[in-house]
Amino acid sequence: MKAAVLTDWEKIEVKDVAKPEIDDGECLIKVSYAGVCGSDVHIYGGHHPTAQAPVILGHEFVGIVKEIKDSSCDIRVGDRVVVEPLISCGICEACREGNWHVCKELKLLGIHSNGGFAEYVKVSVDKVIKTSKNLTDHAAALTEPFAVGFHVNQRAGMKNGDKVLVIGAGPIGLIVGMVAKISGASEVVFSEINLDRIKQIKSFGFENVINPKEGDEIAKANEITNNQGFDVVYEVSGTEAGLSLAAQACRIRGTIVPVGFPNGIPKFDMLKVIFKELNIVGSRVYSFDHFRKTVDMLEKIIKNELFDLEKLISEIYQIEDLEKAIKVMQKGKNLGKILIEC
């Protein structure tokens, strides 16, 4: 089969490799589309702490089941599916308590074993979820990043009527804000400095945007919230400035969820946390249940025309151009998700 193989850091070769052979409890999927994630960019650059080359990247994908070795499940050949890509050890304390997504030895398809930037990928059947015809292939390929957004909002404990601030409106930030709105937020405000991204934010119906380059962002946040602060703040930029804004803009006893990966160890005003009794909540990937519910949420978005999901996809490349797509993301030129047609 044809696959885009990361043969070394900053080197991807599209080559013919052996098609995977499945074992009991596994199925073989013919990949239709796979999304390029920020973690793929980190791995490509050699910055991921546990990834090793050679490996076929890609953990966000949709495809058709071609072979299966499990008669007890409801997955059949010909089903279109998405795959929750987490690989857990099953024996650590987190796994024993059912929190497989924070396994001490957590691994992922496309990072620690071959993933979806290929014609075929083999996966465990218990990670496979069927999708209905209501979802296009493009929308189904967005399941994984939307699962991140779903889990983040669940971890925040966001309630109907909450005012939400999302700091950083890259693809994940935008998705986090969309899920917050769907989940009942009375207002979702973004903080973003990139003018093209601000234009995109507003194209999805979010009118309130704080641009720190255009004035006092704290004054603007206070104006929007009547000096009360935001109930929930999602810090998705991964910057020290973003964390500072989060602590200042969050209301007393509000919740901050750090989502963006910082470069290095950032400074953070812990006194704000103490004096305002802020809740700082971690969020890592997603639980399987949240991944499954995300598929239903995407169908709801399309059925009720809540958002135009196609507008989230900025470019579609062929598998031969994966390296080009990653370099586009390295330069920060993409506004939305890049899909690879496999």
Side-chain angles (χ1 to χ4, degrees):
M1 69 171 184
K2 180 167 59 177
V5 183
L6 179 75
T7 55
D8 202 349
W9 310 131
E10 299 189 322
K11 186 176 182 181
I12 289 177
E13 297 180 44
V14 178
K15 55 171 65 177
D16 286 326
V17 300
K19 187 167 72 172
E21 295 185 3
I22 61 172
D23 297 317
D24 289 341
E26 294 181 332
C27 64
L28 185 71
I29 296 171
K30 174 71 174 68
V31 181
S32 303
Y33 291 93
V36 184
C37 177
S39 60
D40 295 320
V41 178
H42 288 297
I43 297 166
Y44 174 78
H47 306 307
H48 193 282
T50 58
Q52 294 182 339
V55 68
I56 299 170
L57 300 176
H59 59 273
E60 309 173 3
F61 55 89
V62 59
I64 304 295
V65 175
K66 292 297 182 181
E67 298 176 26
I68 187 167
K69 285 188 176 181
D70 191 323
S71 59
S72 64
C73 71
D74 63 350
I75 304 297
R76 298 291 180 264
V77 169
D79 286 342
R80 189 184 62 167
V81 297
V82 292
V83 177
E84 189 254 79
L86 308 185
I87 304 169
S88 308
C89 74
I91 59 174
C92 71
E93 183 178 6
C95 287
R96 293 198 307 273
E97 293 179 350
N99 298 315
W100 301 285
H101 64 294
V102 285
C103 168
K104 288 184 70 174
E105 305 295 331
L106 186 68
K107 294 178 172 56
L108 273 83
L109 286 172
I111 298 179
H112 305 98
S113 64
N114 287 333
F117 293 135
E119 288 187 272
Y120 296 91
V121 60
K122 72 170 183 175
V123 302
S124 175
V125 294
D126 60 6
K127 296 290 187 175
V128 173
I129 300 168
K130 288 191 290 188
T131 63
S132 78
K133 294 179 180 179
N134 296 328
L135 287 184
T136 64
D137 282 347
H138 292 173
L142 297 173
T143 302
E144 199 274 349
F146 264 92
V148 172
F150 186 93
H151 186 68
V152 163
N153 276 275
Q154 291 293 308
R155 288 288 294 152
M158 201 207 72
K159 305 180 298 297
N160 284 340
D162 278 354
K163 289 188 175 181
V164 169
L165 174 65
V166 181
I167 302 172
I172 290 296
L174 191 54
I175 287 170
V176 167
M178 292 167 72
V179 176
K181 188 64 178 177
I182 294 166
S183 302
S186 63
E187 188 167 15
V188 177
V189 178
F190 286 86
S191 174
E192 177 59 59
I193 61 175
N194 183 301
L195 296 180
D196 289 331
R197 284 183 173 173
I198 290 173
K199 186 182 298 183
Q200 185 186 41
I201 292 166
K202 293 185 175 181
S203 77
F204 282 99
F206 299 104
E207 290 299 327
N208 253 337
V209 181
I210 299 171
N211 185 346
K213 286 189 173 181
E214 294 184 350
D216 187 336
E217 64 266 35
I218 303 303
K220 181 67 173 177
N222 287 334
E223 177 188 334
I224 293 170
T225 63
N226 195 26
N227 291 315
Q228 296 303 305
F230 291 92
D231 300 290
V232 179
V233 180
Y234 299 111
E235 204 307 297
V236 197
S237 72
T239 65
E240 198 168 287
L243 284 170
S244 176
L245 174 58
Q248 294 179 79
C250 193
R251 72 177 298 143
I252 291 172
R253 287 198 163 190
T255 299
I256 297 172
V257 184
V259 182
F261 284 16
N263 291 321
I265 301 176
K267 294 180 181 178
F268 183 66
D269 188 353
M270 193 56 67
L271 286 179
K272 286 282 192 303
V273 177
I274 295 169
F275 291 163
K276 295 167 75 174
E277 287 198 341
L278 299 178
N279 302 297
I280 311 295
V281 179
S283 181
R284 187 180 186 187
V285 288
Y286 30 71
S287 65
F288 182 79
D289 184 52
H290 287 171
F291 197 96
R292 179 180 54 78
K293 288 179 178 178
T294 297
V295 176
D296 297 331
M297 181 182 67
L298 288 172
E299 293 188 4
K300 175 184 174 183
I301 290 172
I302 290 177
K303 179 181 178 181
N304 297 315
E305 298 182 347
L306 302 177
F307 295 106
D308 184 355
L309 296 180
E310 290 291 331
K311 290 201 305 184
L312 270 176
I313 299 166
S314 55
E315 294 96 8
I316 297 176
Y317 289 88
Q318 299 301 306
I319 192 171
E320 291 83 0
D321 294 320
L322 172 61
E323 192 163 32
K324 178 181 177 181
I326 288 177
K327 289 180 177 179
V328 167
M329 288 187 64
Q330 280 183 321
K331 296 175 181 176
K333 291 185 176 181
N334 63 299
L335 292 179
K337 289 295 297 184
I338 296 177
L339 298 185
I340 303 299
E341 187 172 6
C342 299

